[in-house]
Amino acid sequence: MSLLTITKLSDSVGAEVTGLDPAHLAADDPVGETILDALEDNGVLVFRGLHLDPEAQVAFCHRLGAIDYSSDGHHPVAGIYPVTLDKSKNSSAAYLKATFDWHIDGCTPTGDDYPQKATVLSAKQVAERGGETEFASSYAAYDALTGDEKDRYGALRVVHSLEASQRRITPNPTPKQLAQWRSRRTHEHPLVWTHRSGRKSLVLGASADYVVGMDLDEGRALLTDLLDRATVPDRVYSHNWSVGDTVIWDNRGVLHRAAPYDPDSQREMLRTTVLGDEPIQ
Ligand code: OGA
Ligand code: MN
């Protein structure tokens, strides 16, 4: 059995895990549950210098839940998706520029899937400058509201779309781009997510387009203000990558984004996604 040590990296989000031996991920080791509990508590788990190979990463993710294979085809190993702006390594790289804005993975799925339980990234190549991944707790964002705000915002609903997140990076799309974005249906989510655990979080980020029933500009100003408050620097954990690091985050409770890096950079992260089982409600 692996003896894990979990050390908090900031007050509201992130913890470093040491003592994980990937060779110990045998079926009778309760490590998967320990990691999922620590993930729920901390939002983000950092494993420095793990140097998982792609197959071992997928095997590790199997211990956390069912894996999303729907983005396969960009990497030889099933369950691995390369996150890079280099089109020779990922033909869908253009979409990934949207990772520079704060977001929650899985707010605009193709079908009715729930947000991913865990997104796992391992650094294969890092940027020379920038390219940190930044995280903020969406539970802490809710907890920091005033009582009056909690009452007022509890009933609001927000429409999320791929178009909203893509427009931020491509404000003047071609008709073809627009048609592609719009082929993904929009999703209406509550602003306040009440989790099975009883905790509450705010559902914000680049995919949040407008507040239902509110004046468009007023609603967008509210979403911007809430996001700004959720992501003030002292609420953010910024992971400065080294090759071989693995980081896991829980999309139920964190917002994340990539800090800017040179679009010509060789930066490459290998991602595996563990499917979620909790609807936004
Ligand atoms: C992602 C993502 C951020 C990064 O893979 O979902 O947002 O730093 N990545 O590459
Ligand atoms: Mn993401």
Side-chain angles (χ1 to χ4, degrees):
M1 177 170 154
S2 307
L3 272 184
L4 302 184
T5 306
I6 293 160
T7 313
K8 281 197 181 293
L9 293 165
S10 82
D11 281 346
S12 57
V13 72
E16 178 165 357
V17 181
T18 50
L20 177 72
D21 178 355
H24 268 193
L25 297 173
D28 59 353
D29 190 312
V31 69
E33 269 167 54
T34 310
I35 288 175
L36 287 173
D37 287 346
L39 187 61
E40 161 116 43
D41 289 347
N42 297 287
V44 179
L45 298 178
V46 171
F47 305 78
R48 286 186 204 276
L50 208 52
H51 292 283
L52 287 177
D53 60 39
E55 289 84 357
Q57 173 164 319
V58 175
F60 174 38
C61 290
H62 267 298
R63 306 305 311 281
L64 307 179
I67 291 177
D68 179 6
Y69 292 104
S70 66
S71 302
D72 276 7
H74 301 280
H75 189 277
V77 175
I80 296 282
Y81 178 83
V83 175
T84 174
L85 296 180
D86 184 341
K87 291 196 188 64
S88 71
K89 294 179 185 155
N90 182 341
S91 55
S92 61
Y95 278 91
L96 291 169
K97 289 195 187 127
T99 56
F100 292 126
D101 288 311
W102 287 105
H103 64 281
I104 297 173
D105 294 338
C107 282
T108 57
T110 15
D112 284 323
D113 319 328
Y114 306 146
Q116 291 89 326
K117 184 179 352 183
T119 307
V120 178
L121 282 192
S122 293
K124 189 170 171 199
Q125 266 182 279
V126 300
E128 262 175 56
R129 266 182 308 279
E132 300 84 359
T133 307
E134 301 181 325
F135 299 96
S137 168
S138 57
Y139 294 121
Y142 175 81
D143 293 341
L145 297 179
T146 65
D148 177 50
E149 287 175 319
K150 287 178 182 166
D151 290 343
R152 280 190 290 135
Y153 302 155
L156 294 183
R157 297 187 63 84
V158 178
V159 171
H160 291 248
S161 68
L162 179 66
E163 180 178 343
S165 46
Q166 291 296 320
R167 235 180 225 291
R168 295 174 205 272
I169 45 156
T170 310
N172 298 305
T174 62
K176 190 172 161 223
Q177 281 173 314
L178 197 57
Q180 273 171 351
W181 301 344
R182 289 187 178 167
S183 68
R184 181 90 68 94
R185 76 170 182 86
T186 63
H187 291 258
E188 192 181 303
H189 299 304
L191 175 58
V192 177
W193 181 351
T194 305
H195 297 259
R196 282 200 293 246
S197 61
R199 294 169 85 189
K200 292 187 179 190
S201 68
L202 293 184
V203 184
L204 296 168
S207 62
D209 191 7
Y210 62 90
V211 180
V212 177
M214 199 182 261
D215 170 78
L216 199 62
D217 292 337
E218 200 184 321
R220 286 187 174 154
L222 172 63
L223 294 172
T224 304
D225 175 56
L226 292 174
L227 185 63
D228 288 348
R229 287 160 59 188
T231 57
V232 289
D234 68 355
R235 287 180 193 270
V236 170
Y237 168 68
S238 174
H239 186 70
N240 194 356
W241 292 95
S242 298
V243 171
D245 289 355
T246 295
V247 172
I248 308 182
W249 66 88
D250 178 350
N251 290 292
R252 291 169 300 188
V254 295
L255 289 145
H256 65 282
R257 71 172 177 185
Y261 56 91
D262 181 354
D264 294 326
S265 152
Q266 295 294 298
R267 183 187 194 267
E268 184 179 7
M269 303 284 153
L270 296 186
R271 175 165 71 183
T272 304
T273 302
V274 180
L275 294 169
D277 54 8
E278 198 186 319
I280 303 181
Q281 59 190 6

